[in-house]
Amino acid sequence: MKNSFQNSTSSDYDDVEVNKNKTRSVHFLCALGVLIFMAFMSTHASSQFRNEEVFVSLKNNTASHVATTTAVITPEEESTTRSRVPSPQGASTNSEKEPAITNVTVFLTTPENPSDSIFKAGTLQRFGSGKIRYNIQEGNCTCDNTTEPVIVETPCLAVSQFCDSRILKCHYPRCKTVITNDERCRKKGRRYDVREYYNADFPSKPYLPLGPRLDSWTSFQKIKASKGDQFTILPASKRKYAFNAIFSKSTNDGRVRLANIIDNSHHNNNTNSQLTIFAQMAEKWVKNINNPKRKSGHLHTDQYIQVVLDSTFTLAPTGHNPECFRLYEAIEAGSIPVFARDEDYANQNCKESLHAWLDVEPKAPILVLDSWDEVYSTIETLLQDPAALDERQAQLSKWYKKHMRKVTKKFERYLLRGQ
């Protein structure tokens, strides 16, 4: 009996322990389930809160909250989104990168020099890379015992018509020297770092084009401003004058010959030509065309530019140098320059002065004659094809912009890198 009791008690005890263990397991699993459920609910609530937070952030357009969301993005949106992804730390995107600006001080040592127009009329800035800011200052051409050298940040330029390069270096020891007005390519012009008129004797020397003359460019801007939205560059075929002849005779014998050709055709009752032209040929060149006290026979630049704007062609005869302001002013106004590649061009001291215009492909689509004797007959023929005229005008505008950018870029590279 006792043994039976003991065996029964021991078996029951084991069953009880088993049941207890099962109960504990059930309780443990329940507790674990509760914890998992609570964790899930906590995460869900947090996620919902974050999503609501993002919605509020977007709605209020604030940056006070930061959240991560998942959304379906179309291929177009993906492309846009990818372009907005911030760069790694220390890197910059193309849109954020701005060109560094270098300040270049330009000392102009010749008062009221028209050939300084390349700096004063903003031509370099218009065709440049935007990496240079030119600071124009009045300069001096002195070098004696009392002269204090001007020390400024490099790069800088000392520009002069008459001042010897050694004096410029004495006064501005850190600056590159620039010679202007050297239309006849004098020997001493070789000593300067930069020259204004091209000379094939120094093909690698940095060169600056003339660009439009300052007073003419000012008149051009005045006319544009006065007409506002009504201003337009007329097509070559729709202009009032077949050509204009506005120049002074005193700078070259070839100009005198051209003036005689025009006089014989229009001013001496010669009716062989039916071309409508504008001719104003002064006897002598003057420095200040717009000076009202001088009766020089020159047009005021306001009238001159308006005539050029109304002319299909602009005659550009060789003066002291084949390169002249008129070439640039005509193209800026949409008029096609006419040039004669004759003995006057061949005999210039500045060899191949218009090399980039006449010899380098693609050549400038200006009208190039072998002789001024051909001017009337050639222009009369060209006027018979209006579409070709307008196409030449358009191609010339493209060529001019490309040429000016190329020359300006080369000059900038020399200033910034010494190359």
Side-chain angles (χ1 to χ4, degrees):
M1 186 73 179
K2 183 176 181 181
N3 293 336
S4 176
F5 176 78
Q6 288 178 342
N7 293 337
S8 175
T9 303
S10 175
S11 176
D12 291 342
Y13 178 82
D14 291 338
D15 291 339
V16 170
E17 287 299 315
V18 170
N19 290 335
K20 286 183 179 180
N21 289 338
K22 289 181 179 179
T23 301
R24 291 192 190 100
S25 299
V26 171
H27 289 171
F28 174 78
L29 291 175
C30 290
L32 181 61
V34 170
L35 290 174
I36 293 173
F37 178 78
M38 291 177 65
F40 171 80
M41 293 300 294
S42 176
T43 303
H44 178 73
S46 176
S47 175
Q48 183 177 5
F49 175 77
R50 286 198 299 269
N51 288 338
E52 291 174 353
E53 185 178 354
V54 171
F55 176 78
V56 172
S57 175
L58 293 174
K59 183 177 180 181
N60 295 333
N61 194 26
T62 68
S64 58
H65 302 95
V66 179
T68 302
T69 60
T70 302
V72 177
I73 301 176
T74 65
E76 292 80 5
E77 292 172 331
E78 183 178 10
S79 176
T80 304
T81 304
R82 192 179 293 118
S83 66
R84 293 197 301 263
V85 175
S87 302
Q89 187 174 3
S92 61
T93 62
N94 291 336
S95 59
E96 295 171 347
K97 192 174 182 179
E98 296 182 357
I101 304 298
T102 300
N103 291 307
V104 175
T105 304
V106 181
F107 297 99
L108 303 179
T109 65
T110 307
E112 299 181 1
N113 181 14
S115 290
D116 289 339
S117 296
I118 187 68
F119 301 107
K120 295 180 178 178
T123 306
L124 292 175
Q125 291 88 329
R126 284 197 295 131
F127 295 104
S129 63
K131 297 179 181 179
I132 293 180
R133 181 185 296 112
Y134 294 94
N135 176 27
I136 309 301
Q137 294 190 19
E138 183 179 340
N140 293 306
C141 180
T142 56
C143 185
D144 52 35
N145 294 333
T146 63
T147 301
E148 287 290 337
V150 177
I151 307 299
V152 294
E153 293 282 338
T154 58
C156 58
L157 296 171
V159 185
S160 183
Q161 174 182 359
F162 302 112
C163 194
D164 189 271
S165 60
R166 290 170 294 185
I167 296 178
L168 287 177
K169 275 295 186 184
C170 173
H171 203 114
Y172 306 99
R174 293 187 177 180
C175 299
K176 301 295 185 183
T177 59
V178 183
I179 179 68
T180 64
N181 303 79
D182 190 20
E183 299 160 292
R184 295 185 174 92
C185 290
R186 297 162 293 177
K187 289 184 179 180
K188 70 176 184 178
R190 302 182 181 188
R191 304 177 189 144
Y192 296 81
D193 298 311
V194 181
R195 60 175 300 105
E196 192 168 47
Y197 288 92
Y198 178 81
N199 187 351
D201 286 337
F202 322 114
S204 61
K205 185 176 284 291
Y207 151 78
L208 279 173
L210 287 175
R213 183 166 149 155
L214 178 61
D215 47 10
S216 298
W217 183 249
T218 301
S219 292
F220 187 33
Q221 301 310 306
K222 186 193 301 183
I223 292 172
K224 289 177 65 176
S226 66
K227 296 185 179 181
D229 295 337
Q230 301 302 315
F231 177 82
T232 183
I233 297 292
L234 291 175
S237 61
K238 303 293 184 182
R239 300 198 168 201
K240 180 178 179 180
Y241 303 111
F243 70 80
N244 69 73
I246 305 172
F247 54 84
S248 56
K249 303 177 187 178
S250 62
T251 55
N252 193 291
D253 291 340
R255 291 189 171 195
V256 176
R257 293 193 296 272
L258 174 58
N260 290 334
I261 292 172
I262 295 171
D263 285 338
N264 291 334
S265 298
H266 271 84
H267 297 171
N268 295 338
N269 297 320
N270 188 327
T271 59
N272 291 334
S273 175
Q274 300 300 318
L275 296 182
T276 301
I277 73 167
F278 186 100
Q280 182 81 8
M281 299 165 289
E283 293 296 328
K284 293 183 178 181
W285 178 87
V286 295
K287 183 176 182 178
N288 188 349
I289 298 174
N290 294 336
N291 188 342
K293 296 180 180 181
R294 292 182 178 178
K295 296 180 180 180
S296 61
H298 288 268
L299 292 179
H300 190 284
T301 52
D302 289 355
Q303 187 180 0
Y304 159 65
I305 290 297
Q306 187 58 62
V307 170
V308 176
L309 285 165
D310 290 333
S311 301
T312 301
F313 293 96
T314 293
L315 306 192
T318 294
H320 289 153
N321 189 287
E323 183 183 2
C324 60
F325 293 111
R326 192 172 293 100
L327 287 169
Y328 300 89
E329 293 157 357
I331 299 175
E332 295 273 5
S335 185
I336 302 168
V338 184
F339 179 77
R341 193 166 189 172
D342 52 13
E343 65 274 13
D344 294 319
Y345 179 74
N347 295 331
Q348 285 293 313
N349 289 335
C350 291
K351 294 180 180 179
E352 302 177 25
S353 177
L354 295 178
H355 173 71
W357 296 65
L358 306 178
D359 303 316
V360 178
E361 295 292 345
K363 299 175 184 178
I366 63 176
L367 177 55
V368 182
L369 307 173
D370 292 326
S371 169
W372 287 114
D373 293 325
E374 305 170 355
V375 63
Y376 277 91
S377 60
T378 303
I379 290 179
E380 285 172 346
T381 300
L382 293 174
L383 289 173
Q384 295 175 12
D385 191 345
L389 278 178
D390 294 342
E391 178 62 21
R392 183 193 286 262
Q393 180 191 44
Q395 291 303 317
L396 178 58
S397 177
K398 292 179 182 179
W399 178 90
Y400 175 72
K401 292 174 183 176
K402 184 176 180 179
H403 167 70
M404 292 297 285
R405 287 168 184 156
K406 179 180 178 181
V407 175
T408 305
K409 181 180 180 180
K410 185 175 181 179
F411 176 68
E412 285 186 347
R413 187 166 61 244
Y414 172 74
L415 277 183
L416 299 178
R417 306 175 191 171
Q419 298 176 351

